[in-house]
Amino acid sequence: MSDTDTWISACSTADLEPGTGLKVPGTCPPIAVFNIDGEYFAIDDTCSHAEYSLAEGYVDGDTVECELHYAAFSVKTGAALTAPATEPVGTYSVRVHDDQIQVAATQRCVIAESRL
Ligand code: FES
């Protein structure tokens, strides 16, 4: 997390079961957070192949497979693991604060509540 980041609440820990992910509300470009065996990880939600939501994908171990053309990404590192994606996606720091899963997003990545 850098000085220009801010913590954004994604959801409560009770709302993100192991092996699932969701799109973090109020972030642009969008961020997705995943529960991998009780650990939380955040990556860009937008697939680097053709801009589909990775939160809609299939979680298998510590990877997520894009629902559109089935490229797989590491949820931990953002690396593109299989074609057709060749470029990684970004990663973000995650913390749990008062049972809320929060991700560190750059200020420009946060949409003002009034614009939602
Ligand atoms: S949009 Fe994700 S693999 Fe094509």
Side-chain angles (χ1 to χ4, degrees), residues 47-54 66-73 83-85:
C47 179
S48 62
H49 175 239
E51 302 189 359
Y52 197 77
S53 170
L54 292 174
C66 181
E67 190 178 58
L68 196 55
H69 306 113
Y70 312 115
F73 294 86

Side-chain angles (χ1 to χ4, degrees), residues 6-20:
T6 187
W7 291 107
I8 303 298
S9 287
C11 63
S12 74
T13 54
D15 291 335
L16 191 63
E17 295 290 321
T20 65

Side-chain angles (χ1 to χ4, degrees), residues 3-67:
D3 290 344
T4 58
D5 290 348
T6 187
W7 291 107
I8 303 298
S9 287
C11 63
S12 74
T13 54
D15 291 335
L16 191 63
E17 295 290 321
T20 65
L22 60 75
K23 189 173 176 177
V24 179
T27 55
C28 181
I31 296 171
V33 65
F34 295 88
N35 180 340
I36 305 298
D37 297 328
E39 278 191 86
Y40 303 104
F41 299 92
I43 60 175
D44 285 320
D45 181 54
T46 305
C47 179
S48 62
H49 175 239
E51 302 189 359
Y52 197 77
S53 170
L54 292 174
E56 302 298 320
Y58 309 103
V59 177
D60 182 17
D62 62 359
T63 67
V64 60
E65 185 180 68
C66 181
E67 190 178 58

